[in-house]
Amino acid sequence: MVAVLASVLVLVAAAAGLAVVRPGPVAGWLGGADGRTPTADPPDPMPSPVLDGVTANAPMPTRAGVQAAVDPLVDPQRLGGRVNISVLDIATGEVLYERGPDALTVPASTTKLVTGLTVLAARGPGYRIPTRAVAGAQPGEVVLIGGGDPTLAMNAAGSYPGAARLDQLAEQVKAALGGAVPTRVTVDSSLYSGPIYEPGWDSDIPTGGCGGPVMALMTDAARANPKNATGCTRRLNNPDIAAGQAFAKALGMPAAAVQGVARGTAPTGPGTPSADASGGSVVSTAPTATAAGPGPEGAMIAPGTELGQVQSPPMYRLVEFMLSDSENLIAEALARQVALARQQPASFAGGAAAVDAVLVELGLPEAESGLADGSGLSRTNRLTPSLLTDLIMLAAGGTRPELVGIFGGLPVAGWSGTLSHRFRSPAAGSAAGAGVVRAKTGTLSGVNAISGVVTTAEGRLLAFAILADQVPTDSSVAQPALDRIAGALASCGCR
């Protein structure tokens, strides 16, 4: 745990101040496990500083100073008439600026901060999502069971470094079957329930490439082309079938059998895990009477017998993937992990209810959150700016060290993720934020948001959230207006 947290972020809140460090370029730092179930994790590379180190005993801004810096930049022509803001000093928790701090606002993708925090609390930063293969009920049948890992890859060319791989799972199955080639692959994606698209999503989301069907079995976050690893790109309509077909091909099955992959439900049997009251798993020892087919040296394999398993990268890395490039299908998968950990249905409704419940467990106000999904795509989501700054405070405070992973994937202004091309132009008035603003963005038509941390010119670390949900302009106008506010916090001592 200590090594994991140190590699993600160092937050030392003490008399000496608070230091923030960031790993090097995301693609290089996130490489690692090859998808096989590890016996021991290799050490992560040491992070390199990106956000300026916080000055020891840096002077805290005053409310009047912050107000003088921010008020002139709250531009209704660019941001509309509902711009709700919260700014806190992280070291003390003191409120430095409020503008509708408790107003329930459409948060867009800043929702992912809530999803990330709650899944780290519910599952822990080291939890890995399994994808399993078991013997089917019919002779020669293998069932591929989706456990909800959205980063699962077909092979080494997957979208996410260190992802679990179907070709390696196929090798395990071949060994378990003594080299016998299965005759049939069935996919079981029944872990999730309810609709595969949230009713509050805009009508173009299912086909626009920023979202897709939310299913318990998919590869590369349902991308049709794994090389398109970031941003909006074409998603598969039936990602579970596509995963099953890739698996069947890796098993060496003939083309007709590959095309014949269909949905079904895995049989239970010895070694079949089921949820326990804590959200973990217990192993069934129920006897089975029917043999599925021959195993090594002619032995019969009982239906439901596990033939192989691969596991996702640890949860903190999944949170990083989600936050850095605002990946919506990873967010929905992680919300369902919160649901499973709290014995709720793995659905949009179950995930939203579980996320809200975990917020309450963490001591955050129930009335300031009303969610419908985990990604922020739904226009029925509501959060308050003060809830976002409160959760940042909680993660940075040191009392819940498992939550520190929320910071590892936050884009850094002018450098990474969804902020890589923002805060760069001196003419835009936000360049002071480059390298010292680390934040989650949020964008829907008519909604623009940003929330995270910023280091002031005098070395004080602040948490901030800016949510605007009646934006009259498009994002090319609204985003620079938001960035100017964050840049102003970075450039001033605000005293």
Side-chain angles (χ1 to χ4, degrees), residues 332-366:
E332 298 303 344
L334 298 190
R336 282 157 177 75
Q337 288 298 315
V338 181
L340 291 167
R342 290 296 179 268
Q343 301 298 296
Q344 294 288 330
S347 63
F348 284 107
V355 164
D356 284 342
V358 172
L359 288 175
V360 173
E361 293 171 15
L362 292 170
L364 297 168
E366 182 177 9

PDB file of all heavy atoms in Angstrom, residues 332-366:
ATOM      1  N   GLU A 332     -18.239   4.049 -15.905  1.00  0.00           N
ATOM      2  CA  GLU A 332     -19.446   3.261 -15.631  1.00  0.00           C
ATOM      3  C   GLU A 332     -19.096   1.906 -15.031  1.00  0.00           C
ATOM      4  O   GLU A 332     -19.805   1.395 -14.158  1.00  0.00           O
ATOM      5  CB  GLU A 332     -20.267   3.093 -16.908  1.00  0.00           C
ATOM      6  CG  GLU A 332     -20.785   4.407 -17.509  1.00  0.00           C
ATOM      7  CD  GLU A 332     -21.633   5.221 -16.552  1.00  0.00           C
ATOM      8  OE1 GLU A 332     -22.095   4.693 -15.515  1.00  0.00           O
ATOM      9  OE2 GLU A 332     -21.829   6.419 -16.818  1.00  0.00           O
ATOM     10  N   ALA A 333     -17.991   1.323 -15.481  1.00  0.00           N
ATOM     11  CA  ALA A 333     -17.551   0.047 -14.905  1.00  0.00           C
ATOM     12  C   ALA A 333     -17.160   0.215 -13.444  1.00  0.00           C
ATOM     13  O   ALA A 333     -17.468  -0.638 -12.596  1.00  0.00           O
ATOM     14  CB  ALA A 333     -16.377  -0.517 -15.703  1.00  0.00           C
ATOM     15  N   LEU A 334     -16.492   1.322 -13.111  1.00  0.00           N
ATOM     16  CA  LEU A 334     -16.059   1.527 -11.734  1.00  0.00           C
ATOM     17  C   LEU A 334     -17.242   1.829 -10.817  1.00  0.00           C
ATOM     18  O   LEU A 334     -17.252   1.405  -9.647  1.00  0.00           O
ATOM     19  CB  LEU A 334     -15.021   2.646 -11.662  1.00  0.00           C
ATOM     20  CG  LEU A 334     -13.716   2.390 -12.429  1.00  0.00           C
ATOM     21  CD1 LEU A 334     -12.680   3.444 -12.082  1.00  0.00           C
ATOM     22  CD2 LEU A 334     -13.168   0.995 -12.177  1.00  0.00           C
ATOM     23  N   ALA A 335     -18.247   2.528 -11.320  1.00  0.00           N
ATOM     24  CA  ALA A 335     -19.449   2.746 -10.510  1.00  0.00           C
ATOM     25  C   ALA A 335     -20.117   1.419 -10.183  1.00  0.00           C
ATOM     26  O   ALA A 335     -20.632   1.216  -9.070  1.00  0.00           O
ATOM     27  CB  ALA A 335     -20.424   3.664 -11.239  1.00  0.00           C
ATOM     28  N   ARG A 336     -20.081   0.483 -11.121  1.00  0.00           N
ATOM     29  CA  ARG A 336     -20.666  -0.839 -10.867  1.00  0.00           C
ATOM     30  C   ARG A 336     -19.819  -1.644  -9.891  1.00  0.00           C
ATOM     31  O   ARG A 336     -20.347  -2.496  -9.170  1.00  0.00           O
ATOM     32  CB  ARG A 336     -20.870  -1.579 -12.188  1.00  0.00           C
ATOM     33  CG  ARG A 336     -22.117  -1.083 -12.932  1.00  0.00           C
ATOM     34  CD  ARG A 336     -22.051  -1.363 -14.432  1.00  0.00           C
ATOM     35  NE  ARG A 336     -23.277  -0.938 -15.080  1.00  0.00           N
ATOM     36  CZ  ARG A 336     -23.596   0.342 -15.334  1.00  0.00           C
ATOM     37  NH1 ARG A 336     -22.769   1.320 -14.981  1.00  0.00           N
ATOM     38  NH2 ARG A 336     -24.730   0.641 -15.950  1.00  0.00           N
ATOM     39  N   GLN A 337     -18.523  -1.373  -9.845  1.00  0.00           N
ATOM     40  CA  GLN A 337     -17.704  -2.018  -8.815  1.00  0.00           C
ATOM     41  C   GLN A 337     -18.086  -1.522  -7.426  1.00  0.00           C
ATOM     42  O   GLN A 337     -18.077  -2.287  -6.454  1.00  0.00           O
ATOM     43  CB  GLN A 337     -16.221  -1.767  -9.085  1.00  0.00           C
ATOM     44  CG  GLN A 337     -15.660  -2.534 -10.267  1.00  0.00           C
ATOM     45  CD  GLN A 337     -15.741  -4.036 -10.080  1.00  0.00           C
ATOM     46  OE1 GLN A 337     -15.417  -4.550  -9.014  1.00  0.00           O
ATOM     47  NE2 GLN A 337     -16.171  -4.744 -11.110  1.00  0.00           N
ATOM     48  N   VAL A 338     -18.423  -0.235  -7.325  1.00  0.00           N
ATOM     49  CA  VAL A 338     -18.922   0.267  -6.049  1.00  0.00           C
ATOM     50  C   VAL A 338     -20.217  -0.457  -5.679  1.00  0.00           C
ATOM     51  O   VAL A 338     -20.424  -0.867  -4.532  1.00  0.00           O
ATOM     52  CB  VAL A 338     -19.152   1.794  -6.103  1.00  0.00           C
ATOM     53  CG1 VAL A 338     -19.642   2.314  -4.745  1.00  0.00           C
ATOM     54  CG2 VAL A 338     -17.879   2.526  -6.508  1.00  0.00           C
ATOM     55  N   ALA A 339     -21.103  -0.637  -6.669  1.00  0.00           N
ATOM     56  CA  ALA A 339     -22.363  -1.335  -6.419  1.00  0.00           C
ATOM     57  C   ALA A 339     -22.119  -2.759  -5.936  1.00  0.00           C
ATOM     58  O   ALA A 339     -22.727  -3.220  -4.960  1.00  0.00           O
ATOM     59  CB  ALA A 339     -23.217  -1.338  -7.683  1.00  0.00           C
ATOM     60  N   LEU A 340     -21.228  -3.474  -6.604  1.00  0.00           N
ATOM     61  CA  LEU A 340     -20.959  -4.859  -6.222  1.00  0.00           C
ATOM     62  C   LEU A 340     -20.362  -4.931  -4.816  1.00  0.00           C
ATOM     63  O   LEU A 340     -20.687  -5.839  -4.037  1.00  0.00           O
ATOM     64  CB  LEU A 340     -20.010  -5.496  -7.232  1.00  0.00           C
ATOM     65  CG  LEU A 340     -20.598  -5.734  -8.632  1.00  0.00           C
ATOM     66  CD1 LEU A 340     -19.499  -6.068  -9.624  1.00  0.00           C
ATOM     67  CD2 LEU A 340     -21.652  -6.833  -8.602  1.00  0.00           C
ATOM     68  N   ALA A 341     -19.499  -3.979  -4.492  1.00  0.00           N
ATOM     69  CA  ALA A 341     -18.895  -3.973  -3.162  1.00  0.00           C
ATOM     70  C   ALA A 341     -19.915  -3.687  -2.068  1.00  0.00           C
ATOM     71  O   ALA A 341     -19.713  -4.072  -0.912  1.00  0.00           O
ATOM     72  CB  ALA A 341     -17.772  -2.941  -3.106  1.00  0.00           C
ATOM     73  N   ARG A 342     -21.003  -3.019  -2.425  1.00  0.00           N
ATOM     74  CA  ARG A 342     -22.034  -2.680  -1.442  1.00  0.00           C
ATOM     75  C   ARG A 342     -23.309  -3.492  -1.646  1.00  0.00           C
ATOM     76  O   ARG A 342     -24.366  -3.133  -1.178  1.00  0.00           O
ATOM     77  CB  ARG A 342     -22.350  -1.180  -1.514  1.00  0.00           C
ATOM     78  CG  ARG A 342     -21.218  -0.287  -1.006  1.00  0.00           C
ATOM     79  CD  ARG A 342     -20.975  -0.520   0.476  1.00  0.00           C
ATOM     80  NE  ARG A 342     -19.881   0.305   0.993  1.00  0.00           N
ATOM     81  CZ  ARG A 342     -18.616  -0.075   1.058  1.00  0.00           C
ATOM     82  NH1 ARG A 342     -18.268  -1.298   0.628  1.00  0.00           N
ATOM     83  NH2 ARG A 342     -17.684   0.721   1.552  1.00  0.00           N
ATOM     84  N   GLN A 343     -23.177  -4.633  -2.351  1.00  0.00           N
ATOM     85  CA  GLN A 343     -24.288  -5.569  -2.530  1.00  0.00           C
ATOM     86  C   GLN A 343     -25.495  -4.927  -3.197  1.00  0.00           C
ATOM     87  O   GLN A 343     -26.646  -5.223  -2.875  1.00  0.00           O
ATOM     88  CB  GLN A 343     -24.692  -6.186  -1.184  1.00  0.00           C
ATOM     89  CG  GLN A 343     -23.572  -6.951  -0.480  1.00  0.00           C
ATOM     90  CD  GLN A 343     -23.085  -8.153  -1.285  1.00  0.00           C
ATOM     91  OE1 GLN A 343     -23.824  -9.096  -1.518  1.00  0.00           O
ATOM     92  NE2 GLN A 343     -21.852  -8.104  -1.741  1.00  0.00           N
ATOM     93  N   GLN A 344     -25.227  -4.042  -4.157  1.00  0.00           N
ATOM     94  CA  GLN A 344     -26.270  -3.429  -4.959  1.00  0.00           C
ATOM     95  C   GLN A 344     -26.230  -4.019  -6.365  1.00  0.00           C
ATOM     96  O   GLN A 344     -25.214  -4.558  -6.798  1.00  0.00           O
ATOM     97  CB  GLN A 344     -26.055  -1.907  -5.040  1.00  0.00           C
ATOM     98  CG  GLN A 344     -26.215  -1.174  -3.724  1.00  0.00           C
ATOM     99  CD  GLN A 344     -27.668  -1.094  -3.280  1.00  0.00           C
ATOM    100  OE1 GLN A 344     -28.580  -1.068  -4.098  1.00  0.00           O
ATOM    101  NE2 GLN A 344     -27.879  -1.067  -1.971  1.00  0.00           N
ATOM    102  N   PRO A 345     -27.333  -3.943  -7.115  1.00  0.00           N
ATOM    103  CA  PRO A 345     -27.298  -4.414  -8.507  1.00  0.00           C
ATOM    104  C   PRO A 345     -26.247  -3.653  -9.306  1.00  0.00           C
ATOM    105  O   PRO A 345     -26.085  -2.437  -9.130  1.00  0.00           O
ATOM    106  CB  PRO A 345     -28.713  -4.114  -9.020  1.00  0.00           C
ATOM    107  CG  PRO A 345     -29.563  -4.000  -7.797  1.00  0.00           C
ATOM    108  CD  PRO A 345     -28.670  -3.443  -6.725  1.00  0.00           C
ATOM    109  N   ALA A 346     -25.550  -4.360 -10.174  1.00  0.00           N
ATOM    110  CA  ALA A 346     -24.524  -3.724 -11.006  1.00  0.00           C
ATOM    111  C   ALA A 346     -25.206  -3.096 -12.225  1.00  0.00           C
ATOM    112  O   ALA A 346     -25.134  -3.600 -13.346  1.00  0.00           O
ATOM    113  CB  ALA A 346     -23.472  -4.744 -11.427  1.00  0.00           C
ATOM    114  N   SER A 347     -25.858  -1.990 -11.980  1.00  0.00           N
ATOM    115  CA  SER A 347     -26.640  -1.285 -12.997  1.00  0.00           C
ATOM    116  C   SER A 347     -26.405   0.207 -12.826  1.00  0.00           C
ATOM    117  O   SER A 347     -25.731   0.643 -11.888  1.00  0.00           O
ATOM    118  CB  SER A 347     -28.127  -1.601 -12.823  1.00  0.00           C
ATOM    119  OG  SER A 347     -28.587  -1.131 -11.553  1.00  0.00           O
ATOM    120  N   PHE A 348     -26.981   1.011 -13.736  1.00  0.00           N
ATOM    121  CA  PHE A 348     -26.885   2.456 -13.550  1.00  0.00           C
ATOM    122  C   PHE A 348     -27.477   2.862 -12.209  1.00  0.00           C
ATOM    123  O   PHE A 348     -26.855   3.598 -11.433  1.00  0.00           O
ATOM    124  CB  PHE A 348     -27.606   3.190 -14.680  1.00  0.00           C
ATOM    125  CG  PHE A 348     -26.848   3.207 -15.977  1.00  0.00           C
ATOM    126  CD1 PHE A 348     -27.251   2.419 -17.041  1.00  0.00           C
ATOM    127  CD2 PHE A 348     -25.734   4.014 -16.139  1.00  0.00           C
ATOM    128  CE1 PHE A 348     -26.557   2.436 -18.251  1.00  0.00           C
ATOM    129  CE2 PHE A 348     -25.024   4.038 -17.338  1.00  0.00           C
ATOM    130  CZ  PHE A 348     -25.440   3.241 -18.393  1.00  0.00           C
ATOM    131  N   ALA A 349     -28.676   2.384 -11.922  1.00  0.00           N
ATOM    132  CA  ALA A 349     -29.349   2.768 -10.676  1.00  0.00           C
ATOM    133  C   ALA A 349     -28.606   2.233  -9.457  1.00  0.00           C
ATOM    134  O   ALA A 349     -28.419   2.942  -8.453  1.00  0.00           O
ATOM    135  CB  ALA A 349     -30.787   2.263 -10.681  1.00  0.00           C
ATOM    136  N   GLY A 350     -28.157   0.979  -9.520  1.00  0.00           N
ATOM    137  CA  GLY A 350     -27.442   0.396  -8.396  1.00  0.00           C
ATOM    138  C   GLY A 350     -26.109   1.078  -8.150  1.00  0.00           C
ATOM    139  O   GLY A 350     -25.721   1.318  -6.997  1.00  0.00           O
ATOM    140  N   GLY A 351     -25.407   1.405  -9.233  1.00  0.00           N
ATOM    141  CA  GLY A 351     -24.130   2.096  -9.085  1.00  0.00           C
ATOM    142  C   GLY A 351     -24.306   3.475  -8.488  1.00  0.00           C
ATOM    143  O   GLY A 351     -23.564   3.872  -7.580  1.00  0.00           O
ATOM    144  N   ALA A 352     -25.296   4.219  -8.982  1.00  0.00           N
ATOM    145  CA  ALA A 352     -25.526   5.572  -8.477  1.00  0.00           C
ATOM    146  C   ALA A 352     -25.911   5.540  -7.002  1.00  0.00           C
ATOM    147  O   ALA A 352     -25.424   6.352  -6.200  1.00  0.00           O
ATOM    148  CB  ALA A 352     -26.607   6.255  -9.304  1.00  0.00           C
ATOM    149  N   ALA A 353     -26.770   4.602  -6.626  1.00  0.00           N
ATOM    150  CA  ALA A 353     -27.185   4.498  -5.227  1.00  0.00           C
ATOM    151  C   ALA A 353     -26.008   4.129  -4.335  1.00  0.00           C
ATOM    152  O   ALA A 353     -25.852   4.663  -3.224  1.00  0.00           O
ATOM    153  CB  ALA A 353     -28.299   3.464  -5.091  1.00  0.00           C
ATOM    154  N   ALA A 354     -25.162   3.210  -4.802  1.00  0.00           N
ATOM    155  CA  ALA A 354     -24.017   2.794  -4.002  1.00  0.00           C
ATOM    156  C   ALA A 354     -22.990   3.910  -3.869  1.00  0.00           C
ATOM    157  O   ALA A 354     -22.403   4.104  -2.797  1.00  0.00           O
ATOM    158  CB  ALA A 354     -23.375   1.548  -4.623  1.00  0.00           C
ATOM    159  N   VAL A 355     -22.761   4.653  -4.956  1.00  0.00           N
ATOM    160  CA  VAL A 355     -21.827   5.772  -4.900  1.00  0.00           C
ATOM    161  C   VAL A 355     -22.313   6.805  -3.888  1.00  0.00           C
ATOM    162  O   VAL A 355     -21.553   7.296  -3.045  1.00  0.00           O
ATOM    163  CB  VAL A 355     -21.647   6.400  -6.294  1.00  0.00           C
ATOM    164  CG1 VAL A 355     -20.997   7.773  -6.202  1.00  0.00           C
ATOM    165  CG2 VAL A 355     -20.810   5.482  -7.174  1.00  0.00           C
ATOM    166  N   ASP A 356     -23.593   7.145  -3.951  1.00  0.00           N
ATOM    167  CA  ASP A 356     -24.139   8.104  -2.987  1.00  0.00           C
ATOM    168  C   ASP A 356     -24.008   7.578  -1.555  1.00  0.00           C
ATOM    169  O   ASP A 356     -23.700   8.325  -0.627  1.00  0.00           O
ATOM    170  CB  ASP A 356     -25.607   8.403  -3.307  1.00  0.00           C
ATOM    171  CG  ASP A 356     -25.770   9.339  -4.505  1.00  0.00           C
ATOM    172  OD1 ASP A 356     -24.787  10.022  -4.863  1.00  0.00           O
ATOM    173  OD2 ASP A 356     -26.873   9.392  -5.078  1.00  0.00           O
ATOM    174  N   ALA A 357     -24.229   6.270  -1.375  1.00  0.00           N
ATOM    175  CA  ALA A 357     -24.129   5.688  -0.031  1.00  0.00           C
ATOM    176  C   ALA A 357     -22.707   5.746   0.502  1.00  0.00           C
ATOM    177  O   ALA A 357     -22.480   6.022   1.692  1.00  0.00           O
ATOM    178  CB  ALA A 357     -24.632   4.245  -0.052  1.00  0.00           C
ATOM    179  N   VAL A 358     -21.713   5.493  -0.354  1.00  0.00           N
ATOM    180  CA  VAL A 358     -20.324   5.539   0.093  1.00  0.00           C
ATOM    181  C   VAL A 358     -19.923   6.971   0.441  1.00  0.00           C
ATOM    182  O   VAL A 358     -19.161   7.204   1.387  1.00  0.00           O
ATOM    183  CB  VAL A 358     -19.386   4.920  -0.963  1.00  0.00           C
ATOM    184  CG1 VAL A 358     -17.921   5.142  -0.598  1.00  0.00           C
ATOM    185  CG2 VAL A 358     -19.661   3.425  -1.103  1.00  0.00           C
ATOM    186  N   LEU A 359     -20.429   7.952  -0.313  1.00  0.00           N
ATOM    187  CA  LEU A 359     -20.166   9.344   0.053  1.00  0.00           C
ATOM    188  C   LEU A 359     -20.625   9.632   1.478  1.00  0.00           C
ATOM    189  O   LEU A 359     -19.928  10.291   2.257  1.00  0.00           O
ATOM    190  CB  LEU A 359     -20.868  10.287  -0.925  1.00  0.00           C
ATOM    191  CG  LEU A 359     -20.285  10.396  -2.332  1.00  0.00           C
ATOM    192  CD1 LEU A 359     -21.170  11.276  -3.206  1.00  0.00           C
ATOM    193  CD2 LEU A 359     -18.864  10.954  -2.300  1.00  0.00           C
ATOM    194  N   VAL A 360     -21.804   9.120   1.821  1.00  0.00           N
ATOM    195  CA  VAL A 360     -22.320   9.318   3.183  1.00  0.00           C
ATOM    196  C   VAL A 360     -21.414   8.608   4.190  1.00  0.00           C
ATOM    197  O   VAL A 360     -21.105   9.155   5.257  1.00  0.00           O
ATOM    198  CB  VAL A 360     -23.771   8.824   3.282  1.00  0.00           C
ATOM    199  CG1 VAL A 360     -24.264   8.862   4.729  1.00  0.00           C
ATOM    200  CG2 VAL A 360     -24.683   9.670   2.399  1.00  0.00           C
ATOM    201  N   GLU A 361     -20.975   7.379   3.863  1.00  0.00           N
ATOM    202  CA  GLU A 361     -20.052   6.659   4.745  1.00  0.00           C
ATOM    203  C   GLU A 361     -18.778   7.462   5.006  1.00  0.00           C
ATOM    204  O   GLU A 361     -18.191   7.392   6.087  1.00  0.00           O
ATOM    205  CB  GLU A 361     -19.671   5.314   4.127  1.00  0.00           C
ATOM    206  CG  GLU A 361     -20.810   4.307   4.031  1.00  0.00           C
ATOM    207  CD  GLU A 361     -20.399   3.079   3.217  1.00  0.00           C
ATOM    208  OE1 GLU A 361     -19.176   2.897   2.997  1.00  0.00           O
ATOM    209  OE2 GLU A 361     -21.281   2.317   2.803  1.00  0.00           O
ATOM    210  N   LEU A 362     -18.356   8.223   4.003  1.00  0.00           N
ATOM    211  CA  LEU A 362     -17.135   9.012   4.127  1.00  0.00           C
ATOM    212  C   LEU A 362     -17.362  10.333   4.849  1.00  0.00           C
ATOM    213  O   LEU A 362     -16.430  11.117   5.019  1.00  0.00           O
ATOM    214  CB  LEU A 362     -16.555   9.283   2.730  1.00  0.00           C
ATOM    215  CG  LEU A 362     -16.017   8.061   1.981  1.00  0.00           C
ATOM    216  CD1 LEU A 362     -15.702   8.410   0.539  1.00  0.00           C
ATOM    217  CD2 LEU A 362     -14.775   7.507   2.681  1.00  0.00           C
ATOM    218  N   GLY A 363     -18.606  10.581   5.254  1.00  0.00           N
ATOM    219  CA  GLY A 363     -18.910  11.797   5.989  1.00  0.00           C
ATOM    220  C   GLY A 363     -19.234  12.990   5.136  1.00  0.00           C
ATOM    221  O   GLY A 363     -19.276  14.128   5.621  1.00  0.00           O
ATOM    222  N   LEU A 364     -19.492  12.768   3.844  1.00  0.00           N
ATOM    223  CA  LEU A 364     -19.839  13.861   2.947  1.00  0.00           C
ATOM    224  C   LEU A 364     -21.355  14.012   2.902  1.00  0.00           C
ATOM    225  O   LEU A 364     -22.093  13.036   3.061  1.00  0.00           O
ATOM    226  CB  LEU A 364     -19.269  13.599   1.557  1.00  0.00           C
ATOM    227  CG  LEU A 364     -17.724  13.554   1.531  1.00  0.00           C
ATOM    228  CD1 LEU A 364     -17.210  13.012   0.216  1.00  0.00           C
ATOM    229  CD2 LEU A 364     -17.140  14.936   1.800  1.00  0.00           C
ATOM    230  N   PRO A 365     -21.860  15.225   2.673  1.00  0.00           N
ATOM    231  CA  PRO A 365     -23.299  15.478   2.825  1.00  0.00           C
ATOM    232  C   PRO A 365     -24.148  14.812   1.748  1.00  0.00           C
ATOM    233  O   PRO A 365     -23.933  15.007   0.557  1.00  0.00           O
ATOM    234  CB  PRO A 365     -23.404  17.004   2.750  1.00  0.00           C
ATOM    235  CG  PRO A 365     -22.155  17.445   2.066  1.00  0.00           C
ATOM    236  CD  PRO A 365     -21.100  16.462   2.410  1.00  0.00           C
ATOM    237  N   GLU A 366     -25.128  14.029   2.191  1.00  0.00           N
ATOM    238  CA  GLU A 366     -25.994  13.294   1.278  1.00  0.00           C
ATOM    239  C   GLU A 366     -26.786  14.219   0.369  1.00  0.00           C
ATOM    240  O   GLU A 366     -27.012  13.911  -0.811  1.00  0.00           O
ATOM    241  CB  GLU A 366     -26.954  12.421   2.091  1.00  0.00           C
ATOM    242  CG  GLU A 366     -27.892  11.560   1.268  1.00  0.00           C
ATOM    243  CD  GLU A 366     -28.754  10.667   2.127  1.00  0.00           C
ATOM    244  OE1 GLU A 366     -28.756  10.835   3.362  1.00  0.00           O
ATOM    245  OE2 GLU A 366     -29.427   9.785   1.555  1.00  0.00           O
TER     246      GLU A 366
END
